[in-house]
Amino acid sequence: MIKKERFILKPAVKKLITVVLCASTLTAPVFLTGCSFSKIANGVQQGAQKASQEDVKVFNNYIKAVGDFNSHTVRFGYAIGPDIQKLREGQHLTSFMAPHFDTLQKNLQAAKDAGVPYDDMKEPLDNVLAVLKDIVPVASELDTYYQTNSYQADNYAKEQQLGPKYVQLYDQFYAAYNQLDAVIHKHNTENQQAHLKELKDSGKKNAAAVQEVHLRLTALLDGFEEGKQIDVNAANQELQGIMDVSSTVTSPEYNSAKGSLNTTIGRVRTFLGDQSADHYNDMIESYNRFIGTLNRLDMDKLDK
C-alpha cells in the first residue's frame, strides 16, 4: 500500500510548509522546514539512530502537528504579529488573535502518547508542552475578553493584568518551540535524504527529481536568514539548477506542480531583487502554494 509523505509549512518568520507526497516506499518520511532552522540545527547534537518504518510513521504525527500550527500562523500572521507587538508595547487592543496554541497542545500530546521516535526529541517536546500548559488558558481568556468587548466594561483592567503575562509566555513558547523545530527538522532531513536515495536506487527518475526539487528549494529558502547577507548570484544559480532538475520530469502528472514551482521561483527572484518584508512573505506564501500542489501529487504515478 502506498503511503503519504508530508512536507511542512513555515510561519512568517521563516516557516515553510508541509508537503504530502504519495511515495513508493513502505513508509515515506516527512519534509519539514521551520523557523530559522539553519541557525538552530547546527547546535543540535547529531544522533546516530536510524529511522525504522515505525519510527517514521510515529514521527509523521509530529510533522502534522507542527505543520498545521505553522500553516495557521502564516495564514493569520497579519493579525497575530501586530497584536503581540501592541501588547508588548503596552498599547490597547480591541480584537485579538493568537497562534493555535490549544490545537498544537492537543496534537503534540496525542503524538507523544503514540510515541517519541528519537531520544533527542524528548526534552524539547516536554519543554514545549510545559509552556503550552501555561499559555493556552491565558490566550483563551484574552480571546474571550476581546470577543465580548469586556475591555469596554473594565477600561482595559484585565488587559493590563494578562497582557504582560501573555507576552512573557509567548516569548518562552517560541524559545522552546524553535528548539523542537530544530530537532524535528534534523531528523526529517535525514529521513528525506534517505528516501531520495531509495527513489534513485529504484530507478524512479521522475519521483526522485520531484523530491530533489523540493529538498533544494526548501534548503535555499531556509538559508535566507534574517540579518544575513544573501549571495544573490549563487541563489540565482541554484534556482536555475532547480529548474533544470524540474525540467527532467516527463510525467504530465507533474504539470500543475511545475507551474506552481515556476511561479514560486519568480517570487524568489523578486525577493532577491528587493529584499523587503512584503516580498519575503509573498515568496513564502507562493512556496506554500507549491507545497499544496505537491500534497495533491501521487508520486507513484510519476514513473508509470
Side-chain angles (χ1 to χ4, degrees), residues 267-289:
R267 295 288 176 84
V268 176
R269 285 183 169 147
T270 297
F271 168 72
L272 291 172
D274 179 9
Q275 296 172 27
S276 67
D278 285 345
H279 287 156
Y280 180 83
N281 289 335
D282 287 346
M283 174 184 70
I284 295 300
E285 288 174 9
S286 184
Y287 170 92
N288 288 344
R289 285 192 291 271

PDB file of all heavy atoms in Angstrom, residues 267-289:
ATOM      1  N   ARG A 267       8.808  34.469  -7.631  1.00  0.00           N
ATOM      2  CA  ARG A 267       8.681  35.248  -6.391  1.00  0.00           C
ATOM      3  C   ARG A 267      10.014  35.288  -5.635  1.00  0.00           C
ATOM      4  O   ARG A 267      10.334  36.303  -4.989  1.00  0.00           O
ATOM      5  CB  ARG A 267       7.600  34.627  -5.498  1.00  0.00           C
ATOM      6  CG  ARG A 267       6.197  34.705  -6.093  1.00  0.00           C
ATOM      7  CD  ARG A 267       5.653  36.123  -6.080  1.00  0.00           C
ATOM      8  NE  ARG A 267       4.364  36.214  -6.734  1.00  0.00           N
ATOM      9  CZ  ARG A 267       3.186  35.947  -6.176  1.00  0.00           C
ATOM     10  NH1 ARG A 267       3.156  35.570  -4.912  1.00  0.00           N
ATOM     11  NH2 ARG A 267       2.074  36.072  -6.849  1.00  0.00           N
ATOM     12  N   VAL A 268      10.752  34.200  -5.701  1.00  0.00           N
ATOM     13  CA  VAL A 268      12.069  34.189  -5.047  1.00  0.00           C
ATOM     14  C   VAL A 268      12.970  35.217  -5.700  1.00  0.00           C
ATOM     15  O   VAL A 268      13.671  35.982  -5.027  1.00  0.00           O
ATOM     16  CB  VAL A 268      12.714  32.790  -5.107  1.00  0.00           C
ATOM     17  CG1 VAL A 268      14.120  32.824  -4.509  1.00  0.00           C
ATOM     18  CG2 VAL A 268      11.873  31.753  -4.379  1.00  0.00           C
ATOM     19  N   ARG A 269      12.947  35.272  -7.019  1.00  0.00           N
ATOM     20  CA  ARG A 269      13.790  36.236  -7.736  1.00  0.00           C
ATOM     21  C   ARG A 269      13.367  37.668  -7.455  1.00  0.00           C
ATOM     22  O   ARG A 269      14.215  38.570  -7.365  1.00  0.00           O
ATOM     23  CB  ARG A 269      13.767  35.916  -9.227  1.00  0.00           C
ATOM     24  CG  ARG A 269      14.625  34.693  -9.555  1.00  0.00           C
ATOM     25  CD  ARG A 269      14.669  34.395 -11.024  1.00  0.00           C
ATOM     26  NE  ARG A 269      15.706  33.390 -11.307  1.00  0.00           N
ATOM     27  CZ  ARG A 269      15.632  32.479 -12.249  1.00  0.00           C
ATOM     28  NH1 ARG A 269      14.564  32.427 -13.033  1.00  0.00           N
ATOM     29  NH2 ARG A 269      16.612  31.619 -12.438  1.00  0.00           N
ATOM     30  N   THR A 270      12.068  37.884  -7.314  1.00  0.00           N
ATOM     31  CA  THR A 270      11.592  39.222  -6.938  1.00  0.00           C
ATOM     32  C   THR A 270      12.128  39.607  -5.567  1.00  0.00           C
ATOM     33  O   THR A 270      12.591  40.732  -5.345  1.00  0.00           O
ATOM     34  CB  THR A 270      10.058  39.257  -6.928  1.00  0.00           C
ATOM     35  OG1 THR A 270       9.575  38.999  -8.254  1.00  0.00           O
ATOM     36  CG2 THR A 270       9.542  40.626  -6.481  1.00  0.00           C
ATOM     37  N   PHE A 271      12.102  38.655  -4.634  1.00  0.00           N
ATOM     38  CA  PHE A 271      12.637  38.914  -3.300  1.00  0.00           C
ATOM     39  C   PHE A 271      14.133  39.187  -3.351  1.00  0.00           C
ATOM     40  O   PHE A 271      14.637  40.095  -2.669  1.00  0.00           O
ATOM     41  CB  PHE A 271      12.359  37.729  -2.379  1.00  0.00           C
ATOM     42  CG  PHE A 271      13.114  37.780  -1.079  1.00  0.00           C
ATOM     43  CD1 PHE A 271      12.767  38.686  -0.089  1.00  0.00           C
ATOM     44  CD2 PHE A 271      14.192  36.934  -0.854  1.00  0.00           C
ATOM     45  CE1 PHE A 271      13.473  38.746   1.113  1.00  0.00           C
ATOM     46  CE2 PHE A 271      14.902  36.981   0.337  1.00  0.00           C
ATOM     47  CZ  PHE A 271      14.546  37.894   1.321  1.00  0.00           C
ATOM     48  N   LEU A 272      14.861  38.424  -4.158  1.00  0.00           N
ATOM     49  CA  LEU A 272      16.303  38.632  -4.254  1.00  0.00           C
ATOM     50  C   LEU A 272      16.622  40.017  -4.799  1.00  0.00           C
ATOM     51  O   LEU A 272      17.630  40.628  -4.433  1.00  0.00           O
ATOM     52  CB  LEU A 272      16.925  37.555  -5.150  1.00  0.00           C
ATOM     53  CG  LEU A 272      16.933  36.131  -4.582  1.00  0.00           C
ATOM     54  CD1 LEU A 272      17.402  35.143  -5.644  1.00  0.00           C
ATOM     55  CD2 LEU A 272      17.813  36.032  -3.340  1.00  0.00           C
ATOM     56  N   GLY A 273      15.750  40.537  -5.678  1.00  0.00           N
ATOM     57  CA  GLY A 273      15.972  41.867  -6.243  1.00  0.00           C
ATOM     58  C   GLY A 273      15.625  42.991  -5.293  1.00  0.00           C
ATOM     59  O   GLY A 273      16.188  44.084  -5.380  1.00  0.00           O
ATOM     60  N   ASP A 274      14.678  42.745  -4.389  1.00  0.00           N
ATOM     61  CA  ASP A 274      14.263  43.753  -3.416  1.00  0.00           C
ATOM     62  C   ASP A 274      13.841  43.023  -2.148  1.00  0.00           C
ATOM     63  O   ASP A 274      12.712  42.558  -2.035  1.00  0.00           O
ATOM     64  CB  ASP A 274      13.098  44.590  -3.969  1.00  0.00           C
ATOM     65  CG  ASP A 274      12.607  45.633  -2.977  1.00  0.00           C
ATOM     66  OD1 ASP A 274      13.274  45.837  -1.931  1.00  0.00           O
ATOM     67  OD2 ASP A 274      11.539  46.232  -3.230  1.00  0.00           O
ATOM     68  N   GLN A 275      14.757  42.917  -1.199  1.00  0.00           N
ATOM     69  CA  GLN A 275      14.567  42.044  -0.042  1.00  0.00           C
ATOM     70  C   GLN A 275      13.730  42.718   1.049  1.00  0.00           C
ATOM     71  O   GLN A 275      14.169  42.923   2.179  1.00  0.00           O
ATOM     72  CB  GLN A 275      15.920  41.576   0.476  1.00  0.00           C
ATOM     73  CG  GLN A 275      16.654  40.709  -0.536  1.00  0.00           C
ATOM     74  CD  GLN A 275      18.082  40.380  -0.142  1.00  0.00           C
ATOM     75  OE1 GLN A 275      18.416  40.340   1.046  1.00  0.00           O
ATOM     76  NE2 GLN A 275      18.941  40.145  -1.128  1.00  0.00           N
ATOM     77  N   SER A 276      12.489  43.028   0.683  1.00  0.00           N
ATOM     78  CA  SER A 276      11.558  43.643   1.623  1.00  0.00           C
ATOM     79  C   SER A 276      10.748  42.567   2.332  1.00  0.00           C
ATOM     80  O   SER A 276      10.673  41.413   1.893  1.00  0.00           O
ATOM     81  CB  SER A 276      10.602  44.581   0.880  1.00  0.00           C
ATOM     82  OG  SER A 276       9.743  43.837   0.023  1.00  0.00           O
ATOM     83  N   ALA A 277      10.110  42.955   3.443  1.00  0.00           N
ATOM     84  CA  ALA A 277       9.279  42.009   4.189  1.00  0.00           C
ATOM     85  C   ALA A 277       8.105  41.533   3.343  1.00  0.00           C
ATOM     86  O   ALA A 277       7.736  40.352   3.377  1.00  0.00           O
ATOM     87  CB  ALA A 277       8.776  42.655   5.478  1.00  0.00           C
ATOM     88  N   ASP A 278       7.510  42.443   2.577  1.00  0.00           N
ATOM     89  CA  ASP A 278       6.372  42.057   1.737  1.00  0.00           C
ATOM     90  C   ASP A 278       6.784  41.035   0.685  1.00  0.00           C
ATOM     91  O   ASP A 278       6.065  40.057   0.440  1.00  0.00           O
ATOM     92  CB  ASP A 278       5.778  43.288   1.046  1.00  0.00           C
ATOM     93  CG  ASP A 278       4.963  44.143   2.003  1.00  0.00           C
ATOM     94  OD1 ASP A 278       4.624  43.656   3.107  1.00  0.00           O
ATOM     95  OD2 ASP A 278       4.679  45.307   1.655  1.00  0.00           O
ATOM     96  N   HIS A 279       7.922  41.245   0.053  1.00  0.00           N
ATOM     97  CA  HIS A 279       8.386  40.298  -0.960  1.00  0.00           C
ATOM     98  C   HIS A 279       8.766  38.964  -0.324  1.00  0.00           C
ATOM     99  O   HIS A 279       8.573  37.896  -0.927  1.00  0.00           O
ATOM    100  CB  HIS A 279       9.573  40.876  -1.733  1.00  0.00           C
ATOM    101  CG  HIS A 279       9.182  41.954  -2.679  1.00  0.00           C
ATOM    102  ND1 HIS A 279      10.062  42.932  -3.112  1.00  0.00           N
ATOM    103  CD2 HIS A 279       7.999  42.226  -3.281  1.00  0.00           C
ATOM    104  CE1 HIS A 279       9.433  43.757  -3.944  1.00  0.00           C
ATOM    105  NE2 HIS A 279       8.191  43.341  -4.047  1.00  0.00           N
ATOM    106  N   TYR A 280       9.286  39.019   0.894  1.00  0.00           N
ATOM    107  CA  TYR A 280       9.606  37.776   1.597  1.00  0.00           C
ATOM    108  C   TYR A 280       8.334  36.970   1.862  1.00  0.00           C
ATOM    109  O   TYR A 280       8.268  35.768   1.609  1.00  0.00           O
ATOM    110  CB  TYR A 280      10.326  38.065   2.915  1.00  0.00           C
ATOM    111  CG  TYR A 280      10.674  36.807   3.676  1.00  0.00           C
ATOM    112  CD1 TYR A 280      11.818  36.085   3.381  1.00  0.00           C
ATOM    113  CD2 TYR A 280       9.828  36.323   4.678  1.00  0.00           C
ATOM    114  CE1 TYR A 280      12.126  34.911   4.049  1.00  0.00           C
ATOM    115  CE2 TYR A 280      10.119  35.146   5.344  1.00  0.00           C
ATOM    116  CZ  TYR A 280      11.272  34.447   5.040  1.00  0.00           C
ATOM    117  OH  TYR A 280      11.558  33.279   5.687  1.00  0.00           O
ATOM    118  N   ASN A 281       7.316  37.662   2.387  1.00  0.00           N
ATOM    119  CA  ASN A 281       6.065  36.971   2.692  1.00  0.00           C
ATOM    120  C   ASN A 281       5.410  36.429   1.432  1.00  0.00           C
ATOM    121  O   ASN A 281       4.857  35.325   1.435  1.00  0.00           O
ATOM    122  CB  ASN A 281       5.116  37.906   3.436  1.00  0.00           C
ATOM    123  CG  ASN A 281       5.576  38.195   4.857  1.00  0.00           C
ATOM    124  OD1 ASN A 281       6.294  37.402   5.451  1.00  0.00           O
ATOM    125  ND2 ASN A 281       5.186  39.342   5.386  1.00  0.00           N
ATOM    126  N   ASP A 282       5.458  37.208   0.335  1.00  0.00           N
ATOM    127  CA  ASP A 282       4.920  36.726  -0.944  1.00  0.00           C
ATOM    128  C   ASP A 282       5.643  35.459  -1.391  1.00  0.00           C
ATOM    129  O   ASP A 282       5.024  34.519  -1.906  1.00  0.00           O
ATOM    130  CB  ASP A 282       5.064  37.800  -2.027  1.00  0.00           C
ATOM    131  CG  ASP A 282       4.093  38.955  -1.844  1.00  0.00           C
ATOM    132  OD1 ASP A 282       3.144  38.809  -1.053  1.00  0.00           O
ATOM    133  OD2 ASP A 282       4.298  40.008  -2.484  1.00  0.00           O
ATOM    134  N   MET A 283       6.955  35.445  -1.202  1.00  0.00           N
ATOM    135  CA  MET A 283       7.764  34.287  -1.585  1.00  0.00           C
ATOM    136  C   MET A 283       7.361  33.057  -0.769  1.00  0.00           C
ATOM    137  O   MET A 283       7.165  31.961  -1.325  1.00  0.00           O
ATOM    138  CB  MET A 283       9.245  34.607  -1.366  1.00  0.00           C
ATOM    139  CG  MET A 283      10.197  33.440  -1.590  1.00  0.00           C
ATOM    140  SD  MET A 283      11.909  33.900  -1.187  1.00  0.00           S
ATOM    141  CE  MET A 283      11.817  34.051   0.605  1.00  0.00           C
ATOM    142  N   ILE A 284       7.218  33.241   0.551  1.00  0.00           N
ATOM    143  CA  ILE A 284       6.854  32.122   1.413  1.00  0.00           C
ATOM    144  C   ILE A 284       5.457  31.614   1.081  1.00  0.00           C
ATOM    145  O   ILE A 284       5.212  30.406   1.014  1.00  0.00           O
ATOM    146  CB  ILE A 284       6.949  32.521   2.896  1.00  0.00           C
ATOM    147  CG1 ILE A 284       8.395  32.843   3.275  1.00  0.00           C
ATOM    148  CG2 ILE A 284       6.404  31.404   3.794  1.00  0.00           C
ATOM    149  CD1 ILE A 284       9.361  31.702   3.081  1.00  0.00           C
ATOM    150  N   GLU A 285       4.522  32.527   0.851  1.00  0.00           N
ATOM    151  CA  GLU A 285       3.163  32.112   0.522  1.00  0.00           C
ATOM    152  C   GLU A 285       3.123  31.359  -0.803  1.00  0.00           C
ATOM    153  O   GLU A 285       2.379  30.375  -0.955  1.00  0.00           O
ATOM    154  CB  GLU A 285       2.243  33.330   0.481  1.00  0.00           C
ATOM    155  CG  GLU A 285       1.957  33.908   1.859  1.00  0.00           C
ATOM    156  CD  GLU A 285       1.165  35.198   1.801  1.00  0.00           C
ATOM    157  OE1 GLU A 285       0.688  35.552   0.698  1.00  0.00           O
ATOM    158  OE2 GLU A 285       1.018  35.857   2.850  1.00  0.00           O
ATOM    159  N   SER A 286       3.923  31.803  -1.767  1.00  0.00           N
ATOM    160  CA  SER A 286       3.976  31.104  -3.044  1.00  0.00           C
ATOM    161  C   SER A 286       4.595  29.726  -2.873  1.00  0.00           C
ATOM    162  O   SER A 286       4.125  28.736  -3.464  1.00  0.00           O
ATOM    163  CB  SER A 286       4.785  31.925  -4.059  1.00  0.00           C
ATOM    164  OG  SER A 286       4.782  31.308  -5.330  1.00  0.00           O
ATOM    165  N   TYR A 287       5.636  29.648  -2.069  1.00  0.00           N
ATOM    166  CA  TYR A 287       6.241  28.343  -1.752  1.00  0.00           C
ATOM    167  C   TYR A 287       5.202  27.416  -1.135  1.00  0.00           C
ATOM    168  O   TYR A 287       5.097  26.239  -1.493  1.00  0.00           O
ATOM    169  CB  TYR A 287       7.414  28.554  -0.793  1.00  0.00           C
ATOM    170  CG  TYR A 287       7.963  27.266  -0.204  1.00  0.00           C
ATOM    171  CD1 TYR A 287       9.007  26.593  -0.824  1.00  0.00           C
ATOM    172  CD2 TYR A 287       7.438  26.733   0.964  1.00  0.00           C
ATOM    173  CE1 TYR A 287       9.507  25.408  -0.289  1.00  0.00           C
ATOM    174  CE2 TYR A 287       7.926  25.559   1.500  1.00  0.00           C
ATOM    175  CZ  TYR A 287       8.964  24.902   0.872  1.00  0.00           C
ATOM    176  OH  TYR A 287       9.441  23.731   1.391  1.00  0.00           O
ATOM    177  N   ASN A 288       4.423  27.961  -0.207  1.00  0.00           N
ATOM    178  CA  ASN A 288       3.419  27.139   0.458  1.00  0.00           C
ATOM    179  C   ASN A 288       2.356  26.639  -0.521  1.00  0.00           C
ATOM    180  O   ASN A 288       1.873  25.511  -0.399  1.00  0.00           O
ATOM    181  CB  ASN A 288       2.769  27.924   1.592  1.00  0.00           C
ATOM    182  CG  ASN A 288       3.701  28.121   2.771  1.00  0.00           C
ATOM    183  OD1 ASN A 288       4.713  27.448   2.875  1.00  0.00           O
ATOM    184  ND2 ASN A 288       3.377  29.050   3.640  1.00  0.00           N
ATOM    185  N   ARG A 289       1.999  27.471  -1.493  1.00  0.00           N
ATOM    186  CA  ARG A 289       1.051  27.013  -2.513  1.00  0.00           C
ATOM    187  C   ARG A 289       1.672  25.919  -3.374  1.00  0.00           C
ATOM    188  O   ARG A 289       0.992  24.966  -3.774  1.00  0.00           O
ATOM    189  CB  ARG A 289       0.590  28.195  -3.374  1.00  0.00           C
ATOM    190  CG  ARG A 289      -0.405  29.105  -2.666  1.00  0.00           C
ATOM    191  CD  ARG A 289      -1.051  30.075  -3.626  1.00  0.00           C
ATOM    192  NE  ARG A 289      -0.102  31.069  -4.109  1.00  0.00           N
ATOM    193  CZ  ARG A 289       0.144  32.228  -3.503  1.00  0.00           C
ATOM    194  NH1 ARG A 289      -0.481  32.524  -2.368  1.00  0.00           N
ATOM    195  NH2 ARG A 289       1.010  33.076  -4.002  1.00  0.00           N
TER     196      ARG A 289
END
